[in-house]
Amino acid sequence: MADGEAESGERAGDESERADDGDEHANGDQRRQRDRIATLREEARERWGRADDDVESAAADLASDDPEERAAAAWTLAELAEDPDDSRRVPVESGLAPLLTDDDEWVRRGASWAVANVADHHPHRARGALSAVTESLDDSDPLVRENSVVAVADVAREYPHAVEPVLSRLADLVRDEDGLARRRAAETLRRLVTRLDEDGFPETIEATPDIADLLGGDAGVVAATDDGGEGRPVRVGGADDSPDDEGENARGGRNRATTDDRGPPDQLPAPPEIDAARGDFEHLADFGDGPLTTAAKVRAPSLSEGGQRVVVVCRTLRADAGVSPADFEEALRAWAAVDDHPHVAPVLARGPTPRPWLATEFLDGGSLRDHVGSVGFERAVWYAHCLATAVSHAHARGVVHGALRPSAVGFSRTLGAWPVPKVGEWAFGDLLGAVQELPAPPAFAAPEHLAPDEFGGPDSSTDVYQLGALCYALFAGRPPFVGETEAVVREVRVSDPPPASAFADGVPDEIDALLSRALAKEKQARFETAEDFRRELEVVAGNLSLSFEL
């Protein structure tokens, strides 16, 4: 998955980068403001110096009664935290977070800079201080506000859902702030909303007109309101999906009005075959970083007659992913073991150096997220069957996905027929679960992802649930649960979703029953296997007047 992520960019306290950054776009006032900030930070470094003491001795002075000693300790830790190893030992929650509300501005400046540096290297260590950092976005001092925006951006890189409550604070900075804080807040807001949108699809984003213009088309804002959703300038999961509402978005699923005179392709196209090592790829474009990999669009030599080069996607394990190369290569072997199925994204090539990588088909039809809400009922049936056959095939080979979600399903375009869905990232569930809160967005996470003590650990039954969630989205035009993250997490654990027919016309009771069983909270109540789900879907489809046969 090449998800968009907030990048740290300038580090808080780095005057040399700050002073030159964006001069061509900044007006004179902004440049003077950055120069003032650089001067203040330089004076701070000259005032406090850089101590030779280690982290522990500096941290001990954070609780001093003398504000100068607290400030000296905070600035020393900020300097030390620029080193990844030293930053692991900096006490964020217990030492720095309380100082973000200190009466002395020099203390707050040093503490916020130190938190930002820790967040750059180890976002999980700064996450616990997110509440205090959020409050610092309203600090009277511009340096503290800037440092806090940078820290929020770094935490959002790995934990976007944890930062969701900060959306409106970032929007306020975009409206009211100048200089680096405004630009960083705008960048973080755009990336964060785009990433969070996967939970609810475009139907669930509301923003005031000025913020909607800022976010742009990639964020999928569909409701620009005067009040921003209960007084907030931007909101994810804020659309009204009530089936009693007669408004444009009342039924949530745009597919109810969609017609399509095409159908499944008569013959599924074969993926390209390539003969390439990592060094044979011609780089075309970057797709960005996901939690595990960096992705790039590349051209590779093919095995076709004439040796034409074909476009593929190369994904390389991130050096900072926190996953061992051996574990990643094991997952790639499992993926390759099931890619002989027409609805499994093929592993075209792979290798171990410079870091483990794989090349897979360039799926030019977008992801499942792009198709939900834009397909009619018949195409939803076909897509659901394609996904079910892929999961059944993998389970028959002993491979569990563990992270089925819209971004793991790509589509290959076909001439005159429906695009072909292909599921990728097989066996990535454990890897994703090790580097982020959940292996899938909450709206597509299974109850056992959220509460393993209550529902048991993830296993093949988890794929059945997530398969049901994907199919629900196809039929309903929205995930089983939408709304703010905390509400979605709660609903996944305790509530049954409304029937898909409540959000899209023409969905029969038999499909509602099929989805309800797949989405059962308890594993014992679900379909025992993905194959059982597939067979039941075929029985239901056989009783419908479809224009094609499964």
Side-chain angles (χ1 to χ4, degrees), residues 184-336:
R184 292 295 296 145
E187 291 174 359
T188 304
L189 190 64
R190 275 195 296 268
R191 290 168 175 161
L192 187 57
V193 167
T194 301
R195 187 165 179 183
L196 287 170
D197 183 32
E198 185 176 3
D199 282 352
F201 300 110
E203 287 79 12
T204 65
I205 294 181
E206 291 181 346
T208 52
D210 56 337
I211 299 301
D213 290 342
L214 164 74
L215 296 175
D218 289 344
V221 176
V222 299
T225 65
D226 291 335
D227 61 6
E230 299 180 2
R232 287 176 289 177
V234 62
R235 184 180 183 188
V236 177
D240 184 1
D241 292 303
S242 169
D244 296 325
D245 190 333
E246 295 301 322
E248 180 180 355
N249 293 322
R251 299 182 66 81
R254 291 172 292 172
N255 58 349
R256 68 188 185 280
T258 301
T259 60
D260 191 344
D261 57 3
R262 297 181 297 170
D266 294 331
Q267 185 175 0
L268 298 180
E273 295 182 332
I274 66 173
D275 180 17
R278 181 68 176 79
D280 297 329
F281 296 142
E282 175 190 352
H283 183 273
L284 299 177
D286 290 321
F287 284 143
D289 293 351
L292 296 175
T293 65
T294 60
K297 183 179 179 181
V298 301
R299 189 176 284 116
S302 73
L303 294 176
S304 63
E305 186 175 350
Q308 297 179 341
R309 298 176 71 85
V310 297
V311 174
V312 300
V313 176
C314 178
R315 299 175 59 174
T316 305
L317 179 66
R318 283 174 44 180
D320 61 347
V323 169
S324 76
D327 289 344
F328 187 71
E329 288 185 89
E330 183 179 353
L332 295 188
R333 286 193 293 271
W335 183 352

